[in-house]
Amino acid sequence: MENQNRYLDIINKKENKTDEEYKISASNINDIGLYICGVDFNIVYINQVLKKKYGKINNKKCYEYFYNKKRKCSYCKFDEIKKGKTIQWIWNSQKENKIYEITESPIKNKDGSIQKIKIIHDITENYRFNEKISDMAKFPEENPNPVFRIMKNGKIIYSNTPGKKILKYWGLQIGDYFNSKYIKSFKNIYSSKKIKKIEVLIKSRYFSFVMIPIYNKNYINVYCYDITEQKKLEVEQKNYLKDIKNISYEAEKKAKEMEAAFAAISEPIVIYNKNNLVTNANHAAEKELGFNPIGFTQNDLLKKLKTKSDNGQSLTIKNLASSKAYKFKSIRKGNYHFFDKDNNEKIASVIASPIEINNKIEGVAVVWHDITDIVNKEKKLIKDKSELAKEVEQKIIEINLKSELLDIIFSNTYISVAYLDTDFNFIRVNNAYANEDNKTPDFYPGKNHFDLYPNEENKKIFHSAVKSKKPYFAYAKPFEYAYNPKKGTTFWDWTLQPVLNKKNNVDGLILSLLNVTDRVINDIKIKNATAELELSKRLSSIGKLAATVAHELRNPLAVIESACYNIERKCKNIEKDIEIEKHIINIEKKISEAEQIIINLLAYARIKLPNYEKTNIVNLMNDCIDTSLNRFLNYNIDISKNYSDDKIYNVEIDQNQMKEVIINIIINAIQSFKNEKGRLKISINPIGECIELIIEDNGSGIEKEDVNKIFEPFFTRKSKGTGLGLSISKEIINLHKGTIIINSKKDIGTKVIIILPKKSEKP
């Protein structure tokens, strides 16, 4: 409204400065009625409280709108208000059964005219408060509000139930005394014989305390009533009246500021009224035109400027008002050509905006901007456009050729490459990446890397690369497919390269992978072969020594056994000696153990070349499991087979030798169980041209310092072991051109991995 009045002032050259801020303030109040009317009693504004109650104004006078009368009210106070007085009075509306406090104040406009602002405040609750006090005094015990009786010396002699809650809040009860400060007040009230009313704040609630002295009884009755809501309304009303007094001063100040701001706008502006006359123009417009345009019609002004429009449209208010599309919108009217005061042709971009007041277009504000230089530059740009287009086309061809070349390299390289976003979702992969998992490249986009290939260690590496913005390199890094464990352990060289944008932020990651499983296996074989070559020389000497020792020990053992037999036979003819019998039994037992050691020594020294035959390793493994378990029937053993019994994995091996190896490993695993209870997990996995056997247990494990010694002959931690079982097993696997790996942690368990070629290397 303030803007509307300001535009009307500019259009019609009035000095009316009635401020809109009365209305803005009133519109934010939802419990006080307010309206403004002139000396002719026409209502010029009414707030929402009254509008909701009485309806639209429809150009009615106040006595028509409120009372449906044909002439002004007999009790109208407008004559006094015109003299500058503010009047307050009480109106008891019998029709509405309400009591209102009426405040009427003058508003002085800049032209000296007076308007009246009338505030209607419903004080029904406050007015009837005193009536309630009288009623409350009659039946204090039934009264829902607090009631006290206090002697003039400050002693509390009575309180109803609600009053006891307040006494408790104060830390008092019936029979207690108020402190000396209050006793003095009670005496003054009693002596005055007058009713006194005070307001007290209790737990964020305001209470009105009405104290009535009962002179002939020496006490005071105190009646309390919650006035919190009334208090809020009074504060709001005081603030509102204060705002209204301040607004009048601020209104005139702001009006002057608005006039100064309009004049100081740097862009030229002229304003037409609804008669199509220029009613105002700022300094910039006068300077640009070279004359003051006020009083010109639009057509006269355009002729004087020798203008022509690029689109032929007019800026008349008639055209603006005729189109609904212009309502509440700025209308860009295109470019105009005109001649300035120095007769130079100029091009201006003109914008016309309708001035809307009370849903009616009262004028047009026209703003223009000199775009002569811009238009000239546009012409130059159009001239250069063709050459630039040719250059761009050539660059696009070059980029497309490079893109095609990069795409060919990306799609056909043997290195697996994937591009991922910073949440590790696939954006694109090449053929090599997809082929590694028997999929097509279009399978991956949109899927998360760690949903397909879960691995917490790798996930931390990815997060670290994004955070540090630095590449990560790994060589021969092991990886197992969580969803397809039959693939076994694979090994990869990989690079994780963050892709940085111009702001040095990570846009994505390039993952490059190279499957080096065969290389790792070959490296292991070469390493093992080298170690075994050195070991075989040492073991060859040990084997010869073992054969010699076994041969040399058998002769004296035979003599000892024969002598023991003769002693036992002769003892039968004499009186039985229990001690001698024990010694003979012990000698025979030790002879048997020594004989077994000799057999193991000879077996180690006489390991033969494998007798290869085609064997289903699944059947052989099941046979070894059954044979081993039969030796430990009293054990509680949980066996998990990570292979199907009806699967056929053929491999060329010496069945007897390999059965000896597997049974030896399973027995070692079972013997490591604590309390004769444990779990075995056995897997069979094809790996290229090899077969992988894995036997895992959760037994006692092997000490860290012993792991590297377990394949040495005669090394054992068992009380009855010879230390040749794993040595013989390793020798047999070596003869099969295979590999055996043992990983173990103390008190956690042991994992034995055997890798055998599917086809033998027969001489």
Side-chain angles (χ1 to χ4, degrees):
M1 194 70 168
E2 181 183 351
N3 291 331
Q4 294 169 2
N5 286 333
R6 185 170 64 81
Y7 280 128
L8 282 172
D9 291 347
I10 296 169
I11 294 168
N12 299 314
K13 288 296 186 178
K14 291 183 179 180
E15 294 299 319
N16 180 8
K17 296 295 182 182
T18 300
D19 196 274
E20 173 61 13
E21 297 216 23
Y22 284 111
K23 303 162 190 178
I24 294 173
S25 179
S27 65
N28 293 324
I29 298 175
N30 54 19
D31 57 353
I32 296 177
L34 180 149
Y35 74 89
I36 300 172
C37 67
V39 293
D40 56 358
F41 303 105
N42 285 328
I43 299 174
V44 297
Y45 173 77
I46 185 167
N47 75 346
Q48 289 296 325
V49 175
L50 295 179
K51 190 179 290 185
K52 185 176 180 180
K53 187 173 182 180
Y54 295 100
K56 293 183 179 180
I57 302 172
N58 295 329
N59 298 319
K60 290 183 179 180
K61 298 183 184 296
C62 60
Y63 49 81
E64 292 176 325
Y65 181 70
F66 290 106
Y67 311 111
N68 201 22
K69 294 182 178 180
K70 294 183 179 180
R71 57 179 59 88
K72 75 172 187 176
C73 303
S74 58
Y75 49 83
C76 181
K77 308 287 193 298
F78 210 151
D79 290 338
E80 296 179 52
I81 290 166
K82 284 191 287 188
K83 297 176 183 178
K85 293 183 179 180
T86 295
I87 299 173
Q88 282 189 319
W89 52 285
I90 303 300
W91 174 35
N92 189 343
S93 175
Q94 296 180 354
K95 182 179 179 181
E96 298 180 7
N97 194 26
K98 286 185 178 290
I99 300 169
Y100 296 96
E101 181 183 67
I102 309 299
T103 303
E104 297 180 89
S105 300
I107 302 174
K108 188 174 182 181
N109 296 318
K110 286 191 68 176
D111 60 2
S113 63
I114 298 293
Q115 289 180 322
K116 177 180 74 173
I117 180 169
K118 187 170 184 177
I119 301 169
I120 305 170
H121 182 199
D122 186 348
I123 60 167
T124 306
E125 293 185 7
N126 190 36
Y127 188 83
R128 290 172 180 165
F129 170 73
N130 290 327
E131 296 178 358
K132 290 185 179 180
I133 292 298
S134 300
D135 293 338
M136 287 189 288
K138 298 176 183 177
F139 303 101
E141 200 55 47
E142 297 177 6
N143 197 325
N145 297 300
V147 178
F148 309 112
R149 182 166 289 168
I150 303 170
M151 298 295 292
K152 67 179 181 179
N153 63 359
K155 183 178 181 180
I156 304 165
I157 60 173
Y158 171 79
S159 172
N160 68 352
T161 300
K164 289 176 182 178
K165 293 180 181 179
I166 293 179
L167 291 176
K168 184 178 179 182
Y169 175 73
W170 286 334
L172 298 171
Q173 58 184 356
I174 296 173
D176 289 346
Y177 287 84
F178 281 92
N179 62 34
S180 57
K181 175 183 175 181
Y182 293 106
I183 292 173
K184 185 177 179 181
S185 298
F186 295 146
K187 287 181 178 180
N188 290 338
I189 294 169
Y190 186 80
S191 300
S192 69
K193 299 181 183 180
K194 294 180 180 179
I195 296 173
K196 185 169 183 179
K197 182 177 177 182
I198 63 171
E199 293 178 0
V200 180
L201 179 64
I202 302 174
K203 290 185 179 180
S204 74
R205 304 292 297 179
Y206 282 96
F207 287 84
S208 176
F209 279 45
V210 180
M211 293 180 281
I212 303 173
I214 310 299
Y215 193 72
N216 59 345
K217 299 290 186 178
N218 289 326
Y219 58 74
I220 299 169
N221 286 342
V222 182
Y223 303 95
C224 307
Y225 183 65
D226 190 333
I227 59 168
T228 304
E229 298 304 321
Q230 177 186 341
K231 193 72 176 176
K232 289 180 181 178
L233 290 174
E234 289 176 359
V235 171
E236 287 180 4
Q237 184 181 12
K238 287 179 181 178
N239 292 336
Y240 174 70
L241 291 172
K242 184 179 178 181
D243 288 343
I244 286 186
K245 290 177 181 178
N246 293 332
I247 284 172
S248 181
Y249 169 77
E250 292 295 330
E252 185 171 350
K253 180 181 176 182
K254 288 184 179 180
K256 290 179 180 178
E257 290 173 353
M258 292 291 287
E259 288 286 351
F262 174 76
I265 293 173
S266 60
E267 297 292 338
I269 303 175
V270 295
I271 296 178
Y272 296 93
N273 66 7
K274 56 187 176 182
N275 297 319
N276 221 25
L277 288 173
V278 177
T279 60
N280 210 332
N282 67 352
H283 297 317
E286 292 183 20
K287 183 178 179 181
E288 185 71 29
L289 296 172
F291 60 90
N292 189 338
I294 295 174
F296 281 80
T297 65
Q298 186 189 46
N299 290 334
D300 291 340
L301 181 59
L302 295 178
K303 286 177 183 179
K304 184 175 178 63
L305 294 172
K306 303 177 185 178
T307 61
K308 58 179 179 178
S309 170
D310 282 355
N311 55 21
Q313 292 183 357
S314 170
L315 301 179
T316 62
I317 191 170
K318 181 179 179 182
N319 288 342
L320 286 172
S322 64
S323 174
K324 292 182 180 179
Y326 297 151
K327 190 174 182 181
F328 297 106
K329 294 181 179 179
S330 293
I331 312 303
R332 186 178 179 86
K333 301 304 294 181
N335 297 339
Y336 275 75
H337 297 255
F338 67 97
F339 292 88
D340 64 9
K341 60 183 179 180
D342 298 322
N343 209 32
N344 297 316
E345 185 176 5
K346 297 282 187 178
I347 304 172
S349 174
V350 181
I351 299 175
S353 299
I355 299 173
E356 182 106 10
I357 300 175
N358 294 329
N359 295 326
K360 293 181 181 180
I361 296 178
E362 298 289 348
V364 181
V366 179
V367 183
W368 72 88
H369 178 68
D370 188 346
I371 60 170
T372 306
D373 291 340
I374 295 173
V375 171
N376 291 335
K377 288 178 181 179
E378 284 179 353
K379 290 178 180 178
K380 187 176 182 304
L381 288 173
I382 293 170
K383 182 179 178 181
D384 296 338
K385 183 178 179 181
S386 178
E387 295 179 8
L388 182 60
K390 290 179 181 179
E391 186 177 345
V392 170
E393 185 178 358
Q394 184 62 35
K395 291 290 184 185
I396 290 172
I397 292 171
E398 292 177 7
I399 291 170
N400 288 338
L401 288 173
K402 291 179 181 179
S403 178
E404 289 175 7
L405 180 60
L406 288 173
D407 193 61
I408 291 170
I409 295 171
F410 181 80
S411 299
N412 293 281
T413 182
Y414 69 94
I415 298 174
S416 302
V417 182
Y419 184 56
L420 307 95
D421 63 22
T422 52
D423 293 322
F424 317 131
N425 298 310
F426 286 101
I427 296 174
R428 187 181 178 188
V429 304
N430 68 349
N431 291 329
Y433 192 98
N435 291 339
E436 285 289 350
D437 207 10
N438 299 320
K439 293 181 174 59
T440 59
D442 56 3
F443 166 80
Y444 288 90
K447 295 181 174 63
N448 189 272
H449 180 278
F450 293 103
D451 288 342
L452 298 178
Y453 309 112
N455 186 297
E456 287 302 318
E457 179 187 354
N458 290 348
K459 194 171 186 178
K460 290 179 182 178
I461 292 170
F462 276 52
H463 279 294
S464 177
V466 172
K467 186 176 180 180
S468 67
K469 303 178 184 179
K470 295 180 180 179
Y472 173 84
F473 303 95
Y475 302 98
K477 187 172 179 63
F479 179 76
E480 294 183 4
Y481 288 86
Y483 67 88
N484 192 1
K486 292 182 180 180
K487 283 192 172 187
T489 303
T490 54
F491 297 88
W492 303 81
D493 288 348
W494 52 291
T495 303
L496 191 63
Q497 177 67 52
V499 178
L500 304 180
N501 58 25
K502 292 181 179 179
K503 295 182 180 179
N504 201 37
N505 295 323
V506 178
D507 273 347
L509 296 168
I510 296 176
L511 175 63
S512 303
L513 300 172
L514 181 62
N515 192 337
V516 294
T517 304
D518 291 339
R519 187 188 76 191
V520 172
I521 292 173
N522 290 334
D523 287 346
I524 293 171
K525 287 182 179 179
I526 292 170
K527 183 179 178 181
N528 291 341
T530 303
E532 288 169 4
L533 183 60
E534 294 177 0
L535 182 62
S536 64
K537 293 178 182 179
R538 186 163 61 90
L539 293 181
S540 177
S541 299
I542 294 173
K544 291 177 182 179
L545 176 63
T548 302
V549 170
H551 178 73
E552 294 298 328
L553 284 176
R554 268 190 167 168
N555 288 334
L557 279 176
V559 173
I560 294 170
E561 186 176 14
S562 177
C564 185
Y565 174 75
N566 288 329
I567 292 171
E568 185 179 10
R569 187 168 55 83
K570 288 182 179 182
C571 286
K572 289 181 180 179
N573 298 325
I574 60 175
E575 187 177 348
K576 205 170 193 179
D577 190 329
I578 296 175
E579 290 297 321
I580 292 174
E581 282 188 4
K582 286 183 179 179
H583 288 305
I584 291 172
I585 291 170
N586 192 35
I587 290 169
E588 289 176 343
K589 182 178 178 182
K590 294 304 176 182
I591 290 171
S592 177
E593 290 178 1
E595 184 65 29
Q596 185 60 47
I597 292 172
I598 291 170
I599 290 170
N600 289 340
L601 285 170
L602 291 174
Y604 178 72
R606 298 172 183 174
I607 295 175
K608 297 179 181 180
L609 291 174
N611 181 21
Y612 292 105
E613 54 184 320
K614 192 174 183 179
T615 305
N616 183 359
I617 198 69
V618 173
N619 293 338
L620 181 69
M621 180 64 78
N622 289 335
D623 190 23
C624 292
I625 293 170
D626 293 340
T627 301
S628 302
L629 293 181
N630 285 334
R631 293 182 56 180
F632 300 93
L633 296 176
N634 294 328
Y635 277 53
N636 184 2
I637 303 170
D638 177 21
I639 294 185
S640 171
K641 296 180 182 180
N642 195 16
Y643 61 89
S644 176
D645 288 340
D646 57 0
K647 195 74 175 179
I648 298 175
Y649 293 123
N650 287 324
V651 60
E652 293 181 359
I653 57 174
D654 185 315
Q655 290 189 30
N656 292 328
Q657 288 184 341
M658 200 53 61
K659 188 173 182 180
E660 181 181 351
V661 171
I662 295 172
I663 290 174
N664 181 57
I665 293 170
I666 294 175
I667 289 173
N668 284 345
I670 296 174
Q671 288 176 342
S672 72
F673 291 161
K674 300 174 183 177
N675 302 320
E676 300 182 350
K677 180 179 179 182
R679 184 176 68 252
L680 281 176
K681 181 180 177 183
I682 300 175
S683 306
I684 301 175
N685 304 312
I687 306 177
E689 296 301 317
C690 298
I691 199 80
E692 180 186 60
L693 311 177
I694 302 176
I695 301 170
E696 297 180 72
D697 67 67
N698 65 341
S700 58
I702 303 170
E703 296 287 353
K704 185 177 180 180
E705 60 269 19
D706 291 344
V707 171
N708 294 329
K709 303 176 184 178
I710 55 180
F711 292 119
E712 294 180 5
F714 311 112
F715 177 81
T716 183
R717 295 293 184 188
K718 297 178 183 177
S719 59
K720 296 182 180 180
T722 62
L724 291 173
L726 286 177
S727 298
I728 293 171
S729 297
K730 183 172 178 61
E731 188 65 24
I732 291 172
I733 290 171
N734 289 343
L735 290 171
H736 281 75
K737 307 299 180 185
T739 303
I740 181 169
I741 302 169
I742 296 182
N743 298 317
S744 183
K745 290 186 178 179
K746 187 65 177 173
D747 298 326
I748 293 177
T750 302
K751 181 178 181 180
V752 180
I753 302 171
I754 300 171
I755 300 174
L756 298 170
K758 291 180 181 178
K759 292 187 178 181
S760 64
E761 298 180 7
K762 296 178 182 178

